[in-house]
Amino acid sequence: MHPYNVAALWHHSSNLGYIVHWRHPSCHNTESSSPEITHKNMLLLISYSLLLFFLSSVSLANSASLKESFVQCLNLNSDTTFPVNSLIYTPKNPSFTSVLDSSGQNRRLLVPSAPKPKFIFTPTCDSHVQAAVICSKKFGIHLRVLSGGHDYEGVSYVSEIESPFIVVDLIKLRDINVDIKSSSAWVHAGATNGELYYKIYEKTSVHGFPAGVCTSLGIGGHITGGAYGTMVRKYGLGVDNVLDAKIVDANGRILDREAMGEDLFWAIRGGGGGSFGILLWWKIKLVPVPPTVTVFTVNKTLEPGAAKLLYRWQEVAPYLDDNLFIRVLFQKTQKTIVNSYNGLFLGGARKLVKIMKTSFPELGLARKDCLETSWIKSVLYFAGFPSGTPPEVLLKGKPITKGFFKGKSDFVRKPIQETGLEGLRQRLLIEDMPLVLWSPYGGRMNQFSESDTPFPHRNGTLFISLYLSFWQEGEKNVTKHIDWIRNLHNYMAPYVSSFPRGQYVNYRDLDLGINSKNNTSYIQASTWGYRYFKNNFDRLVKIKTKVDPQNVFRHEQSIPPLPV
């Protein structure tokens, strides 16, 4: 069903406390019910009012009664032809742990001691999401929204500041409608990058979309923070290629771009997830790619005093041909740090080698290092799938393996000197499984101003740096690994952006501070708000105050509304 048919109208009376719902066409095959208050509707309204009266006299702290009450409310406010009860998983349900674990991607936040939701709701259509917002407000139940589970601090499925809470998992909202004629696609929030890339590939070999290399990312949350990938220098961020969107707002209404207005449309394209509404659909613009692209990986050992090549990469990578993207991975191999220069060129190998001989001969790229392939196979290459893996693997959605990890980020605006690089190498050697990833900007990114979207780290940014520590010991040595990455991040401070020191909201870092329960303050939130959004933070706060003054959509680092 095309998302233009997902509109639902709500009629609310504060005096009678009722809602009449136009049924959602994608949830059932029967004719839409009339918005008029028929005899049947009146009986529903009376039942609903009695239900509210009854619920006001009982406690909802017990998860069983909470679930039962929520289910009744969902049934009254969304399509009832599908058994909503089967979409809810409580801790007593044998599938609860597997459902939570399959969606959450950081095992550090899935350990038994981590806070767990009272239940998980997995809506199958947009009206279910609307109903979840309506019902959570009615009962004062805090909700978290999950589209892919890759949030580094797990705020989409763990709450340290709200109890009780529930999780609305969009995993079953995965429709993708690609329209080659208009070079666009509507993508449901629960679909993954990989599924989107595959659906584009099914229709065309000369189109793509410039989002992340991780194919199991949920597209809904991914784009809300910015979304960069191997075509960032050619086409910018994912948010720079969004045409329209559909969200559920704090009043349970589905709004498209026209209905929400340009301020809110601006805010959701880079302002981070979980602050302004529940993202249901993105309408994205497909970008042209050539039939043949070229990928390569050149490995170099980062030995003491061998940082000249890495320094040179910083000087040239942001200024190369816009069709060329070369990132650098730092990985530990036994007692050595290896730099992998990992590249995509939107063109053939012959032209690539010619460009590299002129612009970056220090890397020594030769024709034998290059693999000519299709764009969809370059997606598989960067995602780390073995050679020969069929593109259909992208439809699996979730990653095969997951681990425990902690991440941080930086934006670099001037090359880091060799002495600084040597200190970075030494610190990587003392951690068990470190990973640092440098991805160049420049090109198209330099053509945007800081205020074009909430994502401000544009012109003048040489590259984004991601730091990760992985471990497998569970809760055993968490402090050791987290202390290491904090120390590394502190060490890098003199070499990266400052005033403010920028960080990427999609690599969320709760070390910067968190909101308090029912006490989100502008001053408190500024500590991370300016790092993620620079001066755009103030505009985000104003929009939040306008569209969600009651702070329905909140989490540890959500945008706060100003006091009314």
Side-chain angles (χ1 to χ4, degrees):
M1 183 66 68
H2 193 280
Y4 272 128
N5 294 330
V6 303
L9 297 179
W10 295 85
H11 302 270
H12 175 68
S13 166
S14 57
N15 294 327
L16 295 178
Y18 64 75
I19 299 169
V20 179
H21 178 221
W22 281 28
R23 290 175 182 262
H24 189 290
S26 68
C27 290
H28 61 87
N29 296 319
T30 59
E31 294 182 3
S32 297
S33 58
S34 168
E36 298 176 1
I37 303 179
T38 62
H39 179 67
K40 179 182 178 183
N41 283 333
M42 184 58 73
L43 289 176
L44 284 174
L45 297 176
I46 294 170
S47 299
Y48 183 64
S49 298
L50 290 173
L51 172 66
L52 290 180
F53 177 79
F54 172 73
L55 290 175
S56 66
S57 63
V58 298
S59 170
L60 294 179
N62 181 280
S63 61
S65 66
L66 178 61
K67 176 195 172 185
E68 181 182 345
S69 303
F70 205 81
V71 166
Q72 290 176 349
C73 182
L74 290 173
N75 282 328
L76 287 169
N77 291 291
S78 63
D79 187 89
T80 57
T81 60
F82 194 93
V84 175
N85 195 66
S86 66
L87 304 176
I88 291 185
Y89 303 85
T90 67
K92 291 184 178 180
N93 188 306
S95 301
F96 176 84
T97 300
S98 62
V99 170
L100 188 62
D101 286 1
S102 70
S103 292
Q105 301 304 311
N106 191 346
R107 293 201 180 280
R108 173 169 67 90
L109 304 161
L110 293 168
V111 294
S113 61
K116 299 293 186 290
K118 287 296 182 182
F119 59 80
I120 304 165
F121 176 42
T122 58
T124 58
C125 63
D126 295 354
S127 75
H128 287 160
V129 183
Q130 290 179 287
V133 173
I134 295 291
C135 296
S136 67
K137 285 181 69 176
K138 284 289 182 186
F139 302 143
I141 309 164
H142 180 62
L143 63 80
R144 296 293 171 101
V145 184
L146 178 65
S147 71
H150 281 258
D151 190 304
Y152 278 23
E153 299 284 12
V155 301
S156 55
Y157 54 93
V158 174
S159 176
E160 298 285 351
I161 60 173
E162 303 277 355
S163 181
F165 73 99
I166 64 171
V167 168
V168 177
D169 187 347
L170 307 181
I171 191 170
K172 294 177 180 175
L173 302 182
R174 307 174 85 98
D175 291 344
I176 300 172
N177 305 298
V178 176
D179 181 5
I180 296 303
K181 277 189 177 181
S182 64
S183 296
S184 66
W186 277 101
V187 191
H188 235 167
T192 63
N193 281 352
E195 289 169 323
L196 171 60
Y197 299 154
Y198 183 85
K199 292 297 182 180
I200 296 171
Y201 152 76
E202 274 190 321
K203 296 282 186 76
T204 171
S205 60
V206 291
H207 287 86
F209 184 67
V213 300
C214 182
T215 57
S216 59
L217 279 167
I219 199 76
H222 180 45
I223 295 180
T224 61
Y228 74 92
T230 58
M231 295 195 289
V232 66
R233 304 190 63 253
K234 179 70 173 179
Y235 296 115
L237 305 172
V239 294
D240 302 325
N241 296 275
V242 168
L243 302 170
D244 204 341
K246 290 184 181 291
I247 67 168
V248 178
D249 75 355
N251 296 312
R253 301 171 299 177
I254 291 183
L255 307 176
D256 62 7
R257 178 175 183 173
E258 183 179 2
M260 75 178 77
E262 289 304 302
D263 272 353
L264 183 51
F265 185 63
W266 175 86
I268 64 174
R269 291 178 299 124
S275 289
F276 300 99
I278 301 180
L279 197 291
L280 290 176
W281 295 88
W282 290 114
K283 184 181 183 182
I284 60 167
K285 177 176 65 177
L286 306 184
V287 300
V289 296
T292 299
V293 304
T294 305
V295 295
F296 65 87
T297 300
V298 175
N299 294 318
K300 301 286 185 178
T301 303
L302 185 60
E303 297 291 354
K308 284 184 171 54
L309 178 63
L310 192 56
Y311 181 81
R312 181 62 181 156
W313 173 89
Q314 298 176 82
E315 291 185 311
V316 302
Y319 305 104
L320 293 168
D321 186 302
D322 291 359
N323 293 295
L324 179 54
F325 171 90
I326 307 174
R327 65 178 184 172
V328 183
L329 291 83
F330 298 68
Q331 293 172 292
K332 183 179 176 182
T333 305
Q334 295 178 341
K335 295 184 179 181
T336 303
I337 302 302
V338 174
N339 283 150
S340 297
Y341 293 82
N342 191 205
L344 168 71
F345 178 64
L346 298 174
R350 189 182 214 175
K351 186 175 181 181
L352 169 61
V353 172
K354 187 176 179 181
I355 290 171
M356 290 293 285
K357 281 184 177 178
T358 302
S359 303
F360 193 17
E362 295 86 352
L363 186 61
L365 183 73
R367 177 63 183 87
K368 64 179 176 60
D369 301 314
C370 303
L371 172 64
E372 290 188 330
T373 187
S374 62
W375 178 76
I376 193 65
K377 289 187 178 178
S378 79
V379 167
L380 298 171
Y381 180 87
F382 272 86
F385 289 103
S387 177
T389 301
E392 285 70 22
V393 72
L394 299 173
L395 297 177
K396 290 186 177 180
K398 297 299 180 183
I400 298 172
T401 59
K402 296 188 288 189
F404 299 81
F405 68 89
K406 168 71 177 176
K408 289 179 177 286
S409 62
D410 270 315
F411 291 94
V412 180
R413 298 181 63 86
K414 58 183 181 181
I416 300 170
Q417 299 297 320
E418 291 180 44
T419 51
L421 298 175
E422 172 59 19
L424 172 60
R425 184 191 72 84
Q426 291 174 1
R427 283 160 178 79
L428 292 175
L429 285 172
I430 63 175
E431 177 63 349
D432 298 337
M433 288 188 289
L435 174 66
V436 173
L437 178 59
W438 288 0
S439 297
Y441 282 0
R444 178 79 175 118
M445 290 290 279
N446 285 344
Q447 298 170 21
F448 292 92
S449 74
E450 288 190 352
S451 61
D452 281 346
T453 68
F455 181 96
H457 313 286
R458 305 282 197 160
N459 193 15
T461 296
L462 301 181
F463 59 93
I464 181 174
S465 178
L466 168 63
Y467 318 97
L468 289 163
S469 174
F470 294 93
W471 63 92
Q472 299 296 336
E473 315 97 294
E475 297 184 83
K476 191 175 178 183
N477 289 311
V478 174
T479 302
K480 167 192 168 185
H481 301 294
I482 291 182
D483 284 349
W484 174 83
I485 198 167
R486 285 172 177 165
N487 290 333
L488 175 65
H489 200 242
N490 289 337
Y491 166 77
M492 294 300 295
Y495 305 105
V496 299
S497 64
S498 56
F499 306 112
R501 181 180 184 177
Q503 291 189 226
Y504 181 31
V505 69
N506 271 2
Y507 299 148
R508 198 177 296 282
D509 182 5
L510 295 188
D511 289 349
L512 301 179
I514 63 172
N515 288 316
S516 303
K517 181 176 181 180
N518 298 325
N519 187 31
T520 55
S521 79
Y522 172 85
I523 298 297
Q524 195 173 6
S526 296
T527 57
W528 62 84
Y530 282 104
R531 287 202 181 204
Y532 294 146
F533 310 113
K534 292 191 175 181
N535 290 331
N536 294 331
F537 176 65
D538 290 331
R539 184 178 174 189
L540 290 168
V541 169
K542 289 177 183 176
I543 296 169
K544 171 73 171 183
T545 305
K546 181 180 178 181
V547 303
D548 185 16
Q550 294 178 311
N551 206 20
V552 173
F553 300 110
R554 62 189 186 274
H555 54 70
E556 282 76 2
Q557 286 187 344
S558 57
I559 304 294
L562 294 171
V564 182

